[in-house]
Amino acid sequence: MIRLIASDLDGTLCNENHCLDEKTVNYLKKLAGRRIEFILASGRAMELIEPLFAKYDFRCGVIALNGALVYDAEGKTFWRKAMDRTQAKALTDWIRRQGLLGIAVMEKGNWCSDPKAYQKRMEAIVKGMTDPVLFAEEHGFLTLTKTPFEELGDCYKIEIYSPLRSLMDTLQRTTEFKVSMTGKDVIEITDGAASKGAALKQICDQRRLKNQEVLCFGDSENDLEMLEAFRYGHIMRNAEERLQAQINHIAPANTAYGVLRVIENYTGIALQEEEE
């Protein structure tokens, strides 16, 4: 019997516009009515998840920043894995010296190596969306600060925007951080002990849930540890083939409501009612 479901957002639960819709949210609310807990497991910062909750009047637990921060359904933090401050500062200094675009999501704000370049990047992403207005409403941009890195407290995640896998490979070899690439050009860096899988295991231990009582979904490298750790881990059909080859269960594509269709198969909670 499934008692907890965890799902990535972008490329998994969200549509091609990186947004949710009423059909999806109504189904998730139905799960709550059947006492099945739902948790979002995302690389996003909570700042970029809150707009979804506000729009749809819906809340759930959140594994944010690839497991560096975990929030309960009331938005209270109960798990955190910060990066070593000295090593994180050294990395952001290196990002600037190399002329790379990067951001750091931190305790007291979001640092950026080049705010103007970040703004241009996000504007270009929005223009490429099928519904730019909806994307801006439900996703939005990180709020950047001019405060020096040293004054921003703990660092939870660093992103470098580069399509070079060789850069990711170098970081994996030369640092103790966890490094992965999502999409075509986002290199994600967190503490070595932070991951969606580790965070979800912590939640399951707290709930005293068995492995087979958990259903989880993802589409990127940052989801693999979670999908491999749980018997019913599903990777999306729209994920890269090399990633699909590593996971036993494959869900239909995100554009076909793949997450909801698999949940329906496992729980018997009809999706058809949401389509009427």
Side-chain angles (χ1 to χ4, degrees):
M1 179 179 177
I2 299 300
R3 297 176 57 194
L4 185 147
I5 299 169
S7 177
D8 172 50
L9 270 172
D10 301 295
T12 304
L13 189 65
C14 289
N15 57 29
E16 68 277 9
N17 207 58
H18 296 267
C19 297
L20 297 179
D21 58 27
E22 293 287 350
K23 174 179 175 177
T24 298
V25 175
N26 286 341
Y27 190 77
L28 298 183
K29 290 179 179 179
K30 184 185 292 187
L31 294 178
R34 301 289 184 90
R35 296 186 178 181
I36 297 176
E37 183 176 6
F38 187 84
I39 292 175
L40 292 176
S42 177
R44 294 191 199 182
M46 196 62 168
E47 178 183 356
L48 302 183
I49 296 175
E50 282 291 352
L52 297 176
F53 290 152
K55 178 177 180 178
Y56 293 107
D57 189 26
F58 169 76
R59 295 203 71 90
C60 65
V62 176
I63 297 172
L65 301 172
N66 291 342
L69 286 171
V70 181
Y71 302 85
D72 63 21
E74 284 71 47
K76 297 178 181 178
T77 306
F78 74 90
W79 165 272
R80 64 182 72 222
K81 285 289 181 182
M83 303 169 71
D84 179 270
R85 290 193 189 187
T86 300
Q87 294 179 18
K89 177 63 167 60
L91 179 55
T92 57
D93 289 344
W94 178 83
I95 289 171
R96 270 192 165 150
R97 290 197 303 271
Q98 297 298 315
L100 296 168
L101 175 58
I103 64 168
V105 181
M106 306 185 67
E107 182 181 2
K108 301 176 183 178
N110 302 307
W111 172 93
C112 183
S113 63
D114 188 337
K116 290 183 179 180
Y118 175 76
Q119 182 69 22
K120 289 182 179 179
R121 171 187 169 82
M122 296 309 296
E123 289 174 353
I125 290 175
V126 170
K127 289 180 181 179
M129 293 294 165
T130 56
D131 190 337
V133 175
L134 182 62
F135 175 84
E137 176 185 320
E138 291 195 13
H139 191 291
F141 311 146
L142 286 173
T143 303
L144 305 180
T145 181
K146 295 181 180 180
T147 303
F149 183 96
E150 297 85 348
E151 299 176 21
L152 293 174
D154 285 334
C155 180
Y156 294 106
K157 183 186 179 188
I158 294 173
E159 292 184 355
I160 300 175
Y161 303 112
S162 169
L164 299 177
R165 293 196 70 87
S166 59
L167 176 58
M168 182 190 75
D169 294 339
T170 297
L171 291 169
Q172 288 177 329
R173 290 196 311 271
T174 59
T175 73
E176 298 179 358
F177 297 133
K178 184 157 292 180
V179 184
S180 62
M181 180 173 282
T182 186
K184 297 180 179 179
D185 66 348
V186 182
I187 299 174
E188 301 181 307
I189 307 157
T190 57
D191 179 78
S195 73
K196 296 181 184 181
L200 187 55
K201 286 181 181 178
Q202 176 75 10
I203 292 171
C204 290
D205 288 345
Q206 185 185 64
R207 309 285 197 275
R208 297 183 179 181
L209 296 177
K210 299 177 181 178
N211 188 290
Q212 62 268 27
E213 294 177 313
V214 179
L215 186 59
C216 52
F217 302 87
D219 74 308
S220 299
E221 285 183 10
N222 60 27
D223 298 306
L224 288 180
E225 186 174 325
M226 175 177 70
L227 302 183
E228 291 170 343
F230 290 87
R231 181 182 302 180
Y232 300 129
H234 287 67
I235 194 159
M236 308 305 291
R237 178 65 69 183
N238 49 284
E240 295 179 46
E241 290 186 4
R242 65 181 181 85
L243 301 180
Q244 292 185 40
Q246 300 180 54
I247 304 299
N248 291 330
H249 303 289
I250 299 178
N254 65 316
T255 53
Y257 293 99
V259 170
L260 305 191
R261 296 188 184 282
V262 172
I263 295 174
E264 178 184 38
N265 289 338
Y266 276 81
T267 66
I269 300 174
L271 175 61
Q272 183 177 359
E273 297 174 18
E274 303 304 322
E275 298 174 331
E276 294 176 352

